[in-house]
Amino acid sequence: MKSWAQLVADTVRMGGVLVFIKDQAPQDFQQWLEPLSQSFAMKIPFTVRNKSDFVSGRYQTGIHDLIFFFEGQEAVLAGLDAHVQGQRVWIAPGNTSPATVDYLWTTEDVSAWVAFWSSLVPQFDSLIENWNSPEMDHAPCLFLDRDDVVVKNVPYNKDPHQVELIPEVVELIHKAHAEGYWVALVTNQSGIGRGRISWQEYKQVHQRMLKLLANEGAWIDECVWSSYIENESVPEGRLLAGLRKPRVGMFQMVKDKLKIDMKNSIMVGDSATDLMAAYSAGIGSCYLFRSEKLDKERETLEKFRAENSKFSYQAISAAADISFGRL
Ligand SMILES: [Mg+2]
């Protein structure tokens, strides 16, 4: 039997929202919402929307949300597949629910519902604190910057014919996979945000890189890029500032998707910002790969270390100097 208390706590812990829909809601809808607006006002994020908010795109649900439907809202549920994410919960007194909902929450009436939320109040904090991520076989990851790490840097490259791999890094990728690591690419691509490279051009360069790796029998498990750049008016440059290194967004995306053991993971970059982001994301081993700008990058990293005493890194001139296992 489902533990609703645990599901609600997990939802909150993962950043989800409880979503209710006004259209064709029960007459005593306000009473159903009351326990959430009162006891939980500070603890459980919830929102009340119209179906048109989802269909028009004014409101976007996320994968961790719980979307509640009451018996009688069959017509509201219909046609929402393309517009809502998250788990659909059907609230009804009986034991039947439409096929397109994920969970059936059987509750006699609004007083049983209110009683549930009252009983959740005293245990909610401990449910959140004792939260355990699902049992997963977490593996470490070799995170790589792209330009001047995986491929030779050609500023704002839009020509797939100019893509050239760095052979020793291909060897490093082979080694990482042999050691049981995931391999991920996290690359700032402000050229897209500045309007210097089109999305189509980026795609072709990206696919050329992967094809060259494939020719060597090597691959990258996950690739993430950030097109954000400050003060640019191109839409791609405006959005998702949190992804751009030294922010941790791209690392977090890979971590969430591949269930990464961050402490035992490795970052290889040629910029200070690569290593600063990796450290902030909890990666245990940071390597600064040789490049022409090495001295400048080291200077930036020394300043960073002054404010982050636990930060350490190793400057290397060859990929073979990277050891799998923590520094
Ligand atoms: Mg680089």
Side-chain angles (χ1 to χ4, degrees), residues 145-149 270-271 274 293:
D145 173 45
R146 192 190 84 174
D147 297 323
D148 268 346
V149 174
D270 67 314
S271 298
D274 295 330
K293 53 185 187 168

Side-chain angles (χ1 to χ4, degrees), residues 4-72:
W4 292 109
Q6 192 64 60
L7 183 67
V8 170
D10 289 350
T11 298
V12 174
R13 176 66 175 70
M14 300 298 286
V17 175
L18 277 55
V19 181
F20 296 85
I21 303 170
K22 270 187 227 166
D23 311 62
Q24 293 163 40
Q27 285 198 333
D28 53 359
F29 190 43
Q30 280 310 318
Q31 281 173 263
W32 290 86
L33 297 175
E34 200 130 290
L36 283 151
S37 16
Q38 289 184 355
S39 326
F40 283 94
M42 303 300 289
K43 296 194 174 179
I44 298 188
F46 82 100
T47 185
V48 182
R49 298 281 160 178
N50 291 309
K51 182 173 180 175
S52 61
D53 292 336
F54 307 110
V55 177
S56 67
R58 252 195 316 275
Y59 185 77
Q60 306 247 345
T61 49
I63 55 169
H64 292 298
D65 293 348
L66 291 180
I67 325 288
F68 288 89
F69 297 89
F70 292 89
E71 201 173 46

